[in-house]
């Protein structure tokens, strides 16, 4: 039987329940300040984010950097706005 709690959500709404820890991987060129700029964007959308929890991993050739941030997501709207801000950032190449 369908879950009655899900009946209020529209098809495009995710199956996430909020608040929930939500990891976001951001990739860009490995250059000075990239991780700090990603953190600044994240903090603008998730003020309770702890920058000390950032995970960084350079690519095998060292040309790119993947920055993983895990926020306490409060809503789908918050996630959408954060993804939009990150994908629109000039130094960000990809957001997963």
């Amino acid at each position: 039987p369908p879950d009655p709690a899900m009946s209020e959500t529209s098809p495009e709404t995710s199956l996430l329940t909020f608040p929930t820890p939500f990891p976001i991987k951001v990739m860009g060129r490995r250059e000075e300040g990239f991780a700090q700029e990603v953190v600044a964007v994240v903090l603008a959308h998730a003020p309770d984010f702890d920058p000390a929890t950032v995970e960084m991993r350079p690519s095998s050739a060292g040309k790119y950097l993947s920055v993983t941030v895990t926020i306490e997501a409060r809503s789908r709207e918050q996630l959408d706005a954060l993804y939009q801000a990150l994908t629109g950032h000039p130094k960000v190449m990809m957001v997963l």
Side-chain angles (χ1 to χ4, degrees), residues 30-41:
R30 189 176 181 188
E31 56 187 46
E32 193 67 38
F34 174 67
Q36 290 84 345
E37 289 184 44
V38 168
V39 166
V41 171

Side-chain angles (χ1 to χ4, degrees), residues 46-94:
D48 57 349
F49 171 68
D50 179 2
T53 63
V54 169
E55 294 173 43
M56 291 183 278
R57 185 168 295 142
S59 63
S60 53
K63 190 173 178 182
Y64 301 101
L65 184 66
S66 123
V67 178
T68 303
V69 296
T70 302
I71 66 164
E72 190 66 22
R74 308 267 174 224
S75 68
R76 182 79 221 178
E77 294 74 23
Q78 177 195 32
L79 286 175
D80 289 347
L82 178 52
Y83 266 90
Q84 208 164 16
L86 287 169
T87 55
H89 192 285
K91 290 187 179 178
V92 172
M93 298 171 67
M94 190 184 318

